[in-house]
Amino acid sequence: MLLSQLSAAASPLSQEQLQKLQGLVAELNPIQQAWVSGYLAANANTAALGGIIGEAAAPAQEAAPLTILFGSQTGNAKGVAAQLEAQAKARGLTAKLVNMADYKPSNLKKEKFIAVAVSTYGEGEPPEDAENLHEFLVGKKAPKLDGVKIAVLGLGDSSYEFFCQTAIDFEERLQKLGAESVVARADLDVDYEEQAETWIASALDAFEPELKAQQSAGGANVVSAPFGAPQAAHSQYTKQNPFTAEISSAVKITGRDSTKDVRHIEIDLDGSDISYQPGDALGVYFLNDEALVDDVLGALNIAPATEVKLGDDTLTVRDALIEKLELTQSYPGFVEKYAAATGNEELAQLITDKAALREYLEARQIFDVIRQNPSDIDAQTLVECCRKIQARLYSIASSQAEVEEEVHLTVGLVEFEAFGEQHYGGCSGFLAHRVEEGTKVKVFSEHNDNFRLPTDDNTPVIMVGPGTGIAPFRAFLQERDAREAEGENWLFFGNPHFTQDFLYQVEVQGYVKSGLLNRVDLAFSRDQAEKIYVQDRIREKGAEVFAWLEKGAHFYVCGDATRMAKDVHQALLDIVKTHGGKDDEQAEQYLKELRSANRYQKDVY
């Protein structure tokens, strides 16, 4: 609303003051108006703090805030960091929340209080947005941090060998530079919520005295302006409060003779406020196989109707095992608890050898551990040995600009044979074999700001998505088509066989025909004697790939983290060296600069 449109009734100013203000504004150009606006805002904040603006007033020394740095692969660490920020501000402490990807490492020398929340993925690797800071801390430019107070929280999955390794790295590297931990590091497993709350309270208890003391001395507490930038709307449906949606379609999209079973899943979000962007993920809660649950209960001689408590809920042990508890993804914590509860000496001995335990678990689901080690265990104790079921995250394969109140997924069935039986992944088995049209499923969206289309629709993009890694690029293409984006699009896709495994073939060919897809390079590894993968196609087109990068293209990779993403990264390095005339160090720096500019993004698992 313009000042000229205000009336005295709508303003706290008197009629005389309002007329004077309108007269003054009328004499100012836009730059002068902006300066006056900033002056008035600063004056109001100073007055609110009891400060005095005057020629003789000495400038207050700015108090150092609690800087909360997060590195998040799936959004969990970001959520914990945001919770820490909110609780710090509720205590009246100054705090700022910063994604590690957006943090300038050179600012470390200015910090006094640092909290870190970071996840670990793969073989103990930092998430994408934490890579640069993680590396900076061991470099020659890392500053001395004597007197800096820190607190570190790690999130991970104990079913992996390098549990919370990134958090360990950060704490060790910060301490080596002179920083002091004010609270014990927390290494939290997938069921982390309660422990995270406890750690947050402990960390703030430790930080609070010094933060408040220096805030009082500096008189520089931060007062938020009442009319700040609009905040993005958040759905009421979250990981803790998922939306109950309906499956509207579940179709196999690989051929009858394919070695892979991939399903295209469509879920109806009508009635929810869930929104998502291309690059986001969908969290899906699943039900365990009822037949396997009954088999386990039979092996343990537990009556299915026996009631158990899970937190504040009371339900039957059968319902708890089907709906609430993890029985497919194996992890050391279950074996430890089950061995202690049952007095199983063989399992207890296995726990003492970490390498042997991981080898044991690699071939088994929790179903197998229980059935192969039956015992007289009561229902409540069995439940307490298990951890809560965790939603599985899938890259979203649709754009809401195209599908509106739906969300699409591309799900590869996890399956393997062991002990004479076929085994299936928890969620992929549920979606592939135990759902039909109308089946209810609990879901929530997980935003991924580290995997986004360019804001400029004229920017070219290169997408590398073999197998189910094509999912987010289907969303990208739908979005760019809806936007009528002018930027060029190049897709690299691979799978074993052209006739059996060309996912979304008709759609891809349609985008080529319409001109949306300017280039497509395919790598069907088993269609010739010599195996060909996407990284091989990238090398073949090295000159063109480098030319696209030089003209500003964004480069995206989605899919397997352990081999494919690393092989593609190496292919990129080789291309930059060959076609950019750079040595090893310069090529690495070239890719780092792409990452820093958000032009090289990965969504890998």
Side-chain angles (χ1 to χ4, degrees):
M1 183 179 288
L2 299 174
L3 276 168
S4 59
Q5 297 172 305
L6 286 172
S7 67
S11 168
L13 303 178
S14 68
Q15 185 64 42
E16 183 180 357
Q17 288 173 322
L18 187 59
Q19 288 174 349
K20 288 181 179 179
L21 183 57
Q22 289 172 333
L24 173 62
V25 171
E27 298 175 6
L28 304 177
N29 63 38
I31 294 175
Q32 292 169 326
Q33 289 180 24
W35 185 91
V36 170
S37 174
Y39 172 82
L40 291 173
N43 191 41
N45 273 348
T46 303
L49 289 165
I52 300 173
I53 293 183
E55 293 182 6
Q61 182 177 356
E62 185 178 354
L66 171 60
T67 298
I68 304 168
L69 301 173
F70 69 86
S72 191
Q73 193 71 18
T74 63
N76 290 337
K78 179 181 179 180
V80 172
Q83 189 178 350
L84 174 59
E85 180 197 32
Q87 293 192 24
K89 290 184 174 180
R91 296 188 184 206
L93 305 176
T94 59
K96 62 178 182 181
L97 182 66
V98 188
N99 186 332
M100 290 182 184
D102 300 326
Y103 185 75
K104 292 184 179 179
S106 59
N107 284 343
L108 278 173
K109 60 180 176 290
K110 303 174 186 176
E111 306 289 1
K112 292 183 180 179
F113 309 97
I114 301 172
V116 170
V118 67
S119 62
T120 297
Y121 85 101
E123 298 176 9
E125 297 163 6
E128 186 82 1
D129 51 10
E131 284 183 356
N132 285 345
L133 184 59
H134 185 262
E135 185 176 343
F136 175 84
L137 290 174
V138 292
K140 295 179 180 179
K141 295 182 179 180
K144 291 294 182 183
L145 298 177
D146 296 329
V148 176
K149 304 297 174 64
I150 64 167
V152 179
L153 175 142
L155 295 179
D157 184 338
S158 62
S159 61
Y160 291 90
E161 182 176 359
F162 300 98
F163 177 57
C164 287
Q165 184 61 49
T166 304
I168 296 169
D169 292 346
F170 268 102
E171 185 175 62
E172 288 180 349
R173 294 175 186 187
L174 289 168
Q175 287 175 340
K176 192 172 182 180
L177 294 169
E180 175 190 352
S181 293
V182 298
V183 66
R185 186 187 70 249
D187 296 336
L188 305 186
D189 211 338
V190 293
D191 192 7
Y192 62 86
E193 284 87 355
E194 290 184 12
Q195 290 173 293
E197 288 181 10
T198 301
W199 182 87
I200 286 171
S202 298
L204 290 177
D205 286 345
F207 281 125
E208 187 169 5
E210 285 195 56
L211 274 167
K212 281 196 169 175
Q214 58 114 43
Q215 285 172 194
S216 298
N221 197 3
V222 174
V223 176
S224 299
F227 302 107
Q231 297 296 308
H234 292 285
S235 170
Q236 62 179 304
Y237 297 108
T238 62
K239 180 180 180 181
Q240 291 74 32
N241 179 40
F243 174 69
T244 301
E246 278 192 3
I247 300 284
S248 52
S249 179
V251 180
K252 186 179 180 183
I253 55 173
T254 43
R256 179 184 300 175
D257 298 323
S258 174
T259 56
K260 297 185 175 187
D261 185 335
V262 178
R263 306 284 169 137
H264 175 75
I265 309 292
E266 297 184 1
I267 299 173
D268 186 359
L269 298 178
D270 187 34
S272 78
D273 61 353
I274 293 176
S275 63
Y276 59 86
Q277 298 179 55
D280 287 343
L282 190 77
V284 181
Y285 284 100
F286 60 96
L287 302 179
N288 285 311
D289 190 324
E290 294 183 14
L292 291 176
V293 167
D294 290 337
D295 196 15
V296 161
L297 291 173
L300 298 176
N301 295 314
I302 294 176
T306 305
E307 289 192 340
V308 295
K309 284 193 71 68
L310 270 180
D312 296 330
D313 297 329
T314 300
L315 65 169
T316 69
V317 65
R318 185 175 190 269
D319 287 345
L321 293 177
I322 291 171
E323 301 172 13
K324 304 290 187 180
L325 299 171
E326 180 62 72
L327 294 174
T328 49
Q329 189 179 62
S330 55
Y331 56 99
F334 174 79
V335 178
E336 293 172 11
K337 290 180 180 179
Y338 189 76
T342 60
N344 187 307
E345 293 183 6
E346 187 176 343
L347 290 179
Q349 183 63 35
L350 195 61
I351 292 166
T352 63
D353 186 340
K354 288 186 177 181
L357 177 59
R358 295 208 172 273
E359 185 178 349
Y360 174 83
L361 291 175
E362 190 173 347
R364 291 169 173 81
Q365 295 180 329
I366 290 176
F367 283 118
D368 298 313
V369 177
I370 296 173
R371 290 188 297 176
Q372 292 172 12
N373 298 276
S375 178
D376 292 328
I377 184 174
D378 65 82
Q380 186 64 43
T381 303
L382 173 64
V383 164
E384 290 171 0
C385 288
C386 302
R387 70 186 183 192
K388 291 179 184 177
I389 210 164
Q390 295 297 308
R392 304 302 197 252
L393 291 176
Y394 294 99
S395 299
I396 291 175
S398 56
S399 163
Q400 282 192 300
E402 171 80 15
V403 303
E404 299 181 341
E405 295 300 309
E406 290 184 355
V407 61
H408 298 176
L409 305 177
T410 310
V411 178
L413 176 63
V414 175
E415 56 183 329
F416 62 95
E417 189 170 327
F419 317 112
E421 293 182 356
Q422 197 70 7
H423 289 59
Y424 300 104
C427 194
S428 66
F430 172 67
L431 293 173
H433 294 315
R434 302 197 302 281
V435 303
E436 55 188 20
E437 185 177 338
T439 298
K440 304 288 188 182
V441 60
K442 293 181 178 180
V443 301
F444 60 94
S445 63
E446 189 73 69
H447 296 294
N448 182 4
D449 293 331
N450 299 318
F451 203 75
R452 287 281 182 256
L453 275 168
T455 54
D456 182 353
D457 283 343
N458 294 310
T459 303
V461 300
I462 301 173
M463 302 165 283
V464 182
T468 56
I470 196 174
F473 303 133
R474 182 176 185 262
F476 278 21
L477 290 168
Q478 287 184 357
E479 180 76 9
R480 292 204 116 186
D481 193 31
R483 287 188 199 173
E484 298 183 350
E486 295 294 328
E488 294 177 290
N489 302 294
W490 187 350
L491 174 68
F492 286 89
F493 173 75
N495 238 348
H497 297 285
F498 174 86
T499 58
Q500 302 293 320
D501 306 305
F502 193 165
L503 307 183
Y504 303 114
Q505 178 181 355
V506 173
E507 292 181 21
V508 169
Q509 290 173 334
Y511 285 139
V512 170
K513 187 175 181 180
S514 71
L516 180 71
L517 257 178
N518 303 88
R519 301 192 62 158
V520 177
D521 279 278
L522 305 171
F524 292 102
S525 58
R526 305 305 196 273
D527 277 351
Q528 59 285 310
E530 183 182 355
K531 293 177 183 176
I532 297 175
Y533 299 102
V534 287
Q535 59 267 25
D536 300 315
R537 295 298 189 210
I538 291 169
R539 281 196 178 88
E540 288 175 9
K541 309 294 183 180
E544 296 96 323
V545 169
F546 186 71
W548 275 48
L549 292 176
E550 285 291 278
K551 68 180 180 182
H554 286 217
F555 191 94
Y556 300 90
V557 183
C558 182
D560 170 55
T562 55
R563 295 187 61 180
M564 183 277 297
K566 292 179 179 178
D567 290 340
V568 167
H569 183 83
Q570 186 58 54
L572 263 186
L573 285 173
D574 294 342
I575 286 169
V576 173
K577 286 189 290 186
T578 301
H579 301 283
K582 302 181 186 298
D583 60 25
D584 291 347
E585 186 176 343
Q586 291 169 331
E588 287 281 7
Q589 185 59 35
Y590 185 92
L591 296 189
K592 284 181 185 176
E593 289 172 2
L594 288 183
R595 282 201 300 269
S596 296
N598 293 321
R599 289 180 51 210
Y600 178 18
Q601 300 181 35
K602 292 183 279 188
D603 177 12
V604 295
Y605 38 84

